[in-house]
Amino acid sequence: MRFHQLALSTVALLALTSFSGNQGFVRADEAAAAEAPDATATESVTLENAENFEFESDVSRMMDIVINSLYQNNDVFLRELISNASDALDKVRFLGITDPEMLADKSELEVRISYDAEAGTLTITDSGIGMTKADLVKNLGTIARSGTTQFLDALGDGSADMNMIGQFGVGFYSAFLVADRVTVASKHPSDPVQHIWESRNGEASFVVAPDARGNSLGRGTEITLHLKEDNLEYLDPAKIKELATHYSEFVTHPIQIRTTSTMEVEVEDEDDEEEKEEKDGEDLEVSEEEDADEDAEEKPKKTEMVTTHSWEQVNTNQAIWTRDKDSITEDEYQNFWKLVSKDQSSNATRWSHFNAEGNINFKSILYLPSEIPAALRAGMFDQQENGLKLYVRRVLISDAFELLPKYLSFVKGVVDSDDLPLNVNRESLQESKIIKVISKKLVRKTIEMIRKLSQEEWPPAKDEDEDEPEEDEEEKSVEEEKEHPYHTFYKKFGPSLKMGVMEDEANKSKLMKLLRFKSSKFPGDDDFVSLDEYIERKQEWQKEIYVFAGENVKQLEDSQFMERFRSKDVEVIYLTDPVDEYMIERTPTHGDMKFISITKENVEFKDEDADLVKRRDKAYRKKFEPLTKFLKTTFGKGISRVVVSKRLGEAPAIVSSASYTHSANMERILKAQAFHHGRNNDELTSARVFEINPRHPFIHKLLGMIAGAEEKEEEVDEQEFEASEAAAEKAVDAAWILHDMALLNSGFSIDDVKSFSDRSMRLLKSTMAVDSLDLEDEIDVPVEDDEPPEPEIPGMEGINMDDFNMDDFDMENLDLGTGEEL
């Protein structure tokens, strides 16, 4: 009924108007007038009995420090003002412990941020200690004291002491980055009068006067920024919230941001209220028909726009790094990981929470991620953002500092120090000695965290006193198959550690111990070998660490280079990451052992009699001297040298690289560089050494073919001249086929594909006894009659009639209709 609808609307309106505390309610047409005295109070304040104070230094010099030397990002003004407010709140809280009267006027300790879009003002209010008149003159004029000139000059020549910055009150003056005029109202508990300080951007003076509004603050400071026309973006509540959250999300005291929303509500007009009163006075029964007529004739509801205001706290997250680590649970650490990493879908692998003490004191939490960042997955180290945020007393300075080197950029976390100057630009602080000391300690702590992960016992030892729950055999087998957490981590971030070996000379030995590889004895997907473990298993006579680089383990396992090493039970480290060979070239030794690539020439085994090996090699070289000369002449500059091999097993020949050039794998990587400028393939091609197996029948046969061809060439019988040419051609083809086989088996690519194809064709022709390669004539095909096209039935497009089976239809009971609808 209508009465009930009116009652409900009245109750809703009363409920809205009864809001108190953090919420308020006004009509839209009254909102501007209601808000004017608060939001723009300083706009209408008359500065009676104002005193004018002249700055002692040139204001333009002062602003030059603020704008050009300290800050390049206007956003930091809010960080600075909130930081000052937080300091004021800390001070009054500390004084309130011994003197409770300090908190008598206002018990709340908070920062409030409001805005007035029409007036173009942004106001930051705190309930901190406040300032007296003398404090306003002294504290807000400090930057203009005599030391300013010397400080500015010191910044120019790089000799400035950054710890001096706090003495100049630079943080407050960052407000002039975005404001033409700044008005400060402040009330100190010991001063019965609330005062106002005001100055315009670029002026050489400021004024201080009693606040005509009286004690409107109770206690604390209110800073009102009259924004420049090109900085009105800071009146957007979303922008304010973003900046406050970004820089000050861990500030101890609540930061409240005023938000405004407008909604449409139903209201009753005066005519409806009078009509309602008249009907209430008439105690008459109303029939249902009359009631229905009233509902049908009911007037449309009147509505008005209602503006509501509320305060939203933006710094609800806790700075857990300030707490004792024994009081923090694992869930709290993982929740904080999600906060700093902005990744809600994964957990951290491990973390390190520590307090660094010494010349520089700071607190930090470092996290190892479980998933690879997108930039690292694509191999773009330069685009990987730094994962650490630098705070000063819980206020973010920047998340762009390079606190860790590029190879550790995947590490996330926070660093908080009381020893750093807050009011300084990133470029100056990045070069400071303090940052370098912090960075050195962070690198050491990160490497130590990774080392501990690598040394964790796996599977974890179970407590004997702990009752084990019953498990199914299937669940137990799954648990046993789970790999070591360091192996999981290393599969994803191993290339970063290898980059560290190349770039971080100071920590190279520590990083080398963290590396893991596949090997000829442990080639499985879940197998990993450290260099120290390899050295423990080496042969007694072995003086080198043998390595083999290639695209994948399967390719390396099948390579002919591995035959002799398997027969002698010598373990070989597999290098399957593209960065591996770069790293080995930059780090040729580990401890007192040298890395040796098994694809390079002069690989020797020290388990044999050196004198016997020497005499046997001399005999082989003499015997196969004609063949080595023939092969070198045949292959030309494609092969730098032909030698008799000392290390081949069953392979007839192999192509190794000279000790001073690239391997086949490195040659492949270098030629694949997408942005290589002015590339000269001859510079990228390694010096190839063709090694022949003196015990293989192919080599002996080829030696015989060469000797027979030379004898026939010496004969002058013209009838055998053609046979001599054919024999020489076969010897050359055999040599090239042997060359191509060895080249491919050694990981190289064939440069002259056309010649390779021609030789293969000749071999097929001879093997298949094909006399001629002339093509056969085209086949004759009979003429076929044209078949008529199938008729097209409208509405049957896309239906395959062959799929229909008439047996599926019940023709006797089929309802064909009566046709009446026609």
Side-chain angles (χ1 to χ4, degrees):
M1 293 180 62
R2 182 181 178 191
F3 172 77
H4 297 299
Q5 294 173 351
L6 292 174
L8 289 174
S9 299
T10 304
V11 170
L13 186 60
L14 289 174
L16 286 172
T17 56
S18 65
F19 286 168
S20 60
N22 289 343
Q23 304 252 353
F25 172 84
V26 294
R27 290 175 48 171
D29 56 353
E30 299 171 352
E35 283 299 313
D38 293 329
T40 61
T42 54
E43 186 75 44
S44 59
V45 169
T46 302
L47 298 181
E48 299 178 356
N49 301 320
E51 296 183 56
N52 191 70
F53 297 85
E54 295 292 330
F55 287 119
E56 297 179 6
S57 301
D58 185 2
V59 175
S60 62
R61 297 276 287 173
M62 175 267 292
M63 295 309 299
D64 186 49
I65 295 177
V66 173
I67 297 176
N68 299 322
S69 300
L70 294 180
Y71 304 113
Q72 280 78 44
N73 182 4
N74 288 356
D75 291 347
V76 299
F77 83 91
L78 191 59
R79 178 195 76 182
E80 299 295 326
L81 298 181
I82 292 177
S83 178
N84 289 346
S86 179
D87 291 342
L89 291 166
D90 287 337
K91 187 172 183 179
V92 76
R93 181 177 61 178
F94 176 77
L95 294 175
I97 296 175
T98 56
D99 185 4
E101 289 298 321
M102 286 286 184
L103 303 176
D105 293 334
K106 195 169 187 178
S107 60
E108 298 88 356
L109 298 178
E110 62 182 0
V111 179
R112 293 202 167 196
I113 305 174
S114 59
Y115 60 92
D116 187 336
E118 293 184 3
T121 59
L122 180 67
T123 303
I124 299 93
T125 306
D126 68 75
S127 55
I129 189 62
M131 289 178 282
T132 64
K133 175 184 176 182
D135 292 334
L136 288 171
V137 175
K138 177 182 177 182
N139 295 342
L140 303 189
T142 306
I143 190 172
R145 293 187 178 274
S146 58
T148 303
T149 303
Q150 292 87 336
F151 178 71
L152 182 59
D153 294 338
L155 275 176
D157 59 23
S159 62
D161 180 5
M162 291 304 169
N163 290 321
M164 297 171 58
I165 294 177
Q167 303 172 16
F168 290 88
V170 177
F172 167 74
Y173 275 88
S174 65
F176 285 105
L177 292 170
V178 298
D180 286 321
R181 178 162 57 101
V182 177
T183 305
V184 180
S186 192
K187 172 67 174 64
H188 193 278
S190 64
D191 190 345
V193 180
Q194 179 173 305
H195 289 87
I196 285 184
W197 178 102
E198 185 172 275
S199 180
R200 294 182 179 274
N201 196 343
E203 287 188 350
S205 63
F206 60 90
V207 296
V208 178
D211 193 339
R213 299 173 301 174
N215 184 7
S216 62
L217 297 175
R219 184 193 66 250
T221 301
E222 175 190 78
I223 302 176
T224 301
L225 310 182
H226 305 265
L227 298 177
K228 302 175 183 177
E229 290 186 2
D230 56 348
N231 292 121
L232 296 181
E233 60 183 295
Y234 296 109
L235 296 176
D236 181 3
K239 177 72 171 180
I240 300 171
K241 180 179 178 180
E242 176 190 354
L243 295 180
T245 304
H246 179 68
Y247 287 110
S248 308
E249 62 177 327
F250 297 113
V251 169
T252 305
H253 307 286
I255 301 174
Q256 307 278 359
I257 294 181
R258 187 179 185 183
T259 60
T260 302
S261 60
T262 304
M263 61 181 178
E264 185 177 5
V265 297
E266 295 181 356
V267 296
E268 293 292 337
D269 59 16
E270 296 179 357
D271 295 338
D272 289 340
E273 291 180 359
E274 293 177 358
E275 182 180 351
K276 174 187 172 183
E277 292 175 358
E278 291 176 0
K279 290 191 175 183
D280 288 344
E282 299 174 2
D283 189 9
L284 300 175
E285 293 183 359
V286 181
S287 65
E288 292 183 0
E289 294 181 359
E290 292 177 351
D291 190 14
D293 293 340
E294 288 184 1
D295 290 341
E297 297 175 359
E298 184 176 345
K299 298 179 181 180
K301 297 293 184 181
K302 290 186 177 181
T303 62
E304 289 186 358
M305 300 303 295
V306 175
T307 300
T308 60
H309 305 287
S310 61
W311 294 95
E312 179 183 357
Q313 184 175 346
V314 298
N315 60 330
T316 56
N317 299 316
Q318 293 185 357
I320 67 171
W321 67 82
T322 62
R323 293 163 49 188
D324 186 271
K325 59 183 178 182
D326 294 332
S327 67
I328 306 174
T329 65
E330 181 175 340
D331 288 341
E332 286 180 304
Y333 276 120
Q334 291 290 8
N335 290 334
F336 191 71
W337 151 258
K338 289 176 168 53
L339 180 65
V340 298
S341 67
K342 310 301 181 185
D343 183 2
Q344 301 297 320
S345 62
S346 66
N347 288 331
T349 299
R350 292 294 183 274
W351 54 84
S352 176
H353 184 185
F354 61 94
N355 296 338
E357 298 180 350
N359 295 332
I360 304 297
N361 299 324
F362 65 90
K363 299 176 181 179
S364 177
I365 300 180
L366 304 177
Y367 286 97
L368 294 180
S370 58
E371 298 299 331
I372 310 173
L376 291 187
R377 189 180 295 276
M380 297 181 291
F381 273 92
D382 293 339
Q383 297 185 19
Q384 171 63 20
E385 297 179 354
N386 295 293
L388 296 189
K389 295 183 177 181
L390 181 61
Y391 291 83
V392 173
R393 296 180 293 279
R394 299 177 185 154
V395 177
L396 179 68
I397 292 183
S398 176
D399 53 3
F401 280 101
E402 295 181 3
L403 295 174
L404 289 175
K406 277 293 183 183
Y407 74 90
L408 293 177
S409 58
F410 58 85
V411 177
K412 303 288 185 181
V414 296
V415 179
D416 191 355
S417 175
D418 293 344
D419 296 335
L420 288 172
L422 176 63
N423 324 339
V424 67
N425 68 3
R426 184 182 66 82
E427 291 76 10
S428 299
L429 191 56
Q430 184 72 60
E431 300 300 324
S432 72
K433 294 180 180 179
I434 299 177
I435 287 296
K436 293 179 180 179
V437 172
I438 292 177
S439 177
K440 185 177 180 180
K441 290 184 178 181
L442 290 174
V443 171
R444 187 168 66 247
K445 283 290 185 178
T446 303
I447 295 176
E448 178 66 14
M449 174 171 52
I450 299 174
R451 185 191 66 81
K452 289 181 178 179
L453 175 62
S454 70
Q455 294 181 348
E456 285 185 8
E457 182 181 357
W458 194 261
K462 296 182 179 179
D463 190 351
E464 297 180 358
D465 298 333
E466 184 180 352
D467 295 333
E468 296 184 6
E470 295 183 1
E471 296 181 353
D472 296 337
E473 289 296 329
E474 182 178 353
E475 294 179 356
K476 187 175 181 181
S477 62
V478 171
E479 182 67 24
E480 290 176 351
E481 292 176 359
K482 188 177 180 181
E483 66 179 352
H484 194 289
Y486 184 68
H487 294 170
T488 304
F489 167 82
Y490 188 82
K491 286 179 180 179
K492 298 175 180 179
F493 299 100
S496 293
L497 300 181
K498 294 171 183 177
M499 173 179 280
V501 171
M502 293 188 290
E503 296 184 348
D504 192 349
E505 188 68 29
N507 295 293
K508 177 183 294 187
S509 60
K510 295 178 182 179
L511 293 170
M512 289 288 286
K513 294 180 179 180
L514 298 176
L515 302 183
R516 299 293 184 268
F517 303 92
K518 309 293 183 187
S519 77
S520 56
K521 292 187 177 181
F522 296 92
D525 291 339
D526 297 327
D527 293 332
F528 286 92
V529 174
S530 70
L531 294 175
D532 291 340
E533 290 172 341
Y534 175 90
I535 293 174
E536 290 177 0
R537 292 192 298 265
K538 71 179 181 64
Q539 300 294 332
E540 294 183 0
W541 52 265
Q542 187 177 342
K543 303 298 182 184
E544 297 90 6
I545 299 175
Y546 293 111
V547 297
F548 187 11
E551 294 186 58
N552 53 69
V553 172
K554 180 65 168 58
Q555 179 193 69
L556 301 179
E557 286 277 284
D558 297 339
S559 174
Q560 295 174 344
F561 282 109
M562 289 297 302
E563 293 176 354
R564 194 70 179 274
F565 288 89
R566 285 200 187 92
S567 66
K568 290 183 173 291
D569 194 31
V570 177
E571 187 175 9
V572 178
I573 294 289
Y574 292 156
L575 307 179
T576 54
D577 283 340
V579 71
D580 285 341
E581 282 204 88
Y582 289 104
M583 180 190 68
I584 295 299
E585 289 182 358
R586 298 279 293 273
T587 311
T589 62
H590 177 61
D592 58 353
M593 297 192 69
K594 186 178 181 181
F595 290 104
I596 296 293
S597 173
I598 68 171
T599 64
K600 297 294 182 71
E601 63 174 337
N602 297 329
V603 174
E604 299 179 351
F605 300 96
K606 304 297 179 60
D607 61 333
E608 299 177 351
D609 187 327
D611 183 63
L612 175 61
V613 171
K614 183 178 180 179
R615 288 185 287 110
R616 187 168 55 204
D617 179 59
K618 182 178 180 181
Y620 277 139
R621 282 191 283 113
K622 182 177 180 181
K623 178 180 179 179
F624 289 95
E625 183 178 0
L627 179 59
T628 56
K629 289 182 178 180
F630 168 78
L631 293 176
K632 181 63 180 78
T633 303
T634 302
F635 299 150
K637 66 177 183 179
I639 293 295
S640 64
R641 194 163 62 257
V642 179
V643 299
V644 178
S645 180
K646 303 176 186 178
R647 43 94 173 262
L648 284 179
E650 297 180 358
I654 206 165
V655 179
S656 61
S657 303
S659 57
Y660 56 88
T661 60
H662 304 304
S663 67
N665 184 66
M666 181 59 79
E667 180 180 313
R668 174 184 62 83
I669 293 174
L670 292 176
K671 288 183 177 180
Q673 299 300 314
F675 295 101
H676 196 292
H677 288 56
R679 179 167 63 187
N680 185 347
N681 284 336
D682 292 339
E683 296 177 357
L684 303 179
T685 302
S686 61
R688 302 170 182 178
V689 179
F690 192 80
E691 300 185 21
I692 60 174
N693 187 347
R695 300 174 58 198
H696 200 279
F698 282 179
I699 300 302
H700 280 268
K701 181 66 175 178
L702 187 57
L703 177 63
M705 293 173 65
I706 297 303
E710 290 178 351
E711 291 176 359
K712 290 181 179 180
E713 287 180 0
E714 293 177 358
E715 297 176 2
V716 295
D717 189 349
E718 293 183 1
Q719 295 179 353
E720 298 181 357
F721 181 74
E722 293 183 1
S724 175
E725 273 193 335
E729 184 177 351
K730 287 183 177 181
V732 170
D733 277 352
W736 275 109
I737 291 174
L738 197 64
H739 168 274
D740 296 337
M741 288 170 48
L743 204 65
L744 294 175
N745 288 332
S746 303
F748 292 98
S749 60
I750 296 176
D751 297 328
D752 192 348
V753 179
K754 178 64 168 56
S755 298
F756 170 76
S757 178
D758 291 342
R759 288 191 294 273
S760 300
M761 292 286 286
R762 289 196 295 269
L763 177 62
L764 287 174
K765 179 181 177 182
S766 174
T767 303
M768 302 175 70
V770 176
D771 296 331
S772 174
L773 295 180
D774 294 338
L775 300 179
E776 297 289 339
D777 295 335
E778 291 280 4
I779 187 173
D780 293 331
V781 294
V783 178
E784 298 181 358
D785 296 334
D786 294 337
E787 296 182 1
E790 295 183 0
E792 294 184 2
I793 302 176
M796 302 295 290
E797 295 84 357
I799 300 178
N800 186 0
M801 299 301 295
D802 294 336
D803 293 339
F804 280 91
N805 186 357
M806 297 302 296
D807 295 336
D808 296 337
F809 294 91
D810 186 359
M811 303 301 295
E812 296 180 359
N813 299 320
L814 186 63
D815 184 8
L816 300 178
T818 61
E820 293 180 359
E821 64 275 10
L822 300 176

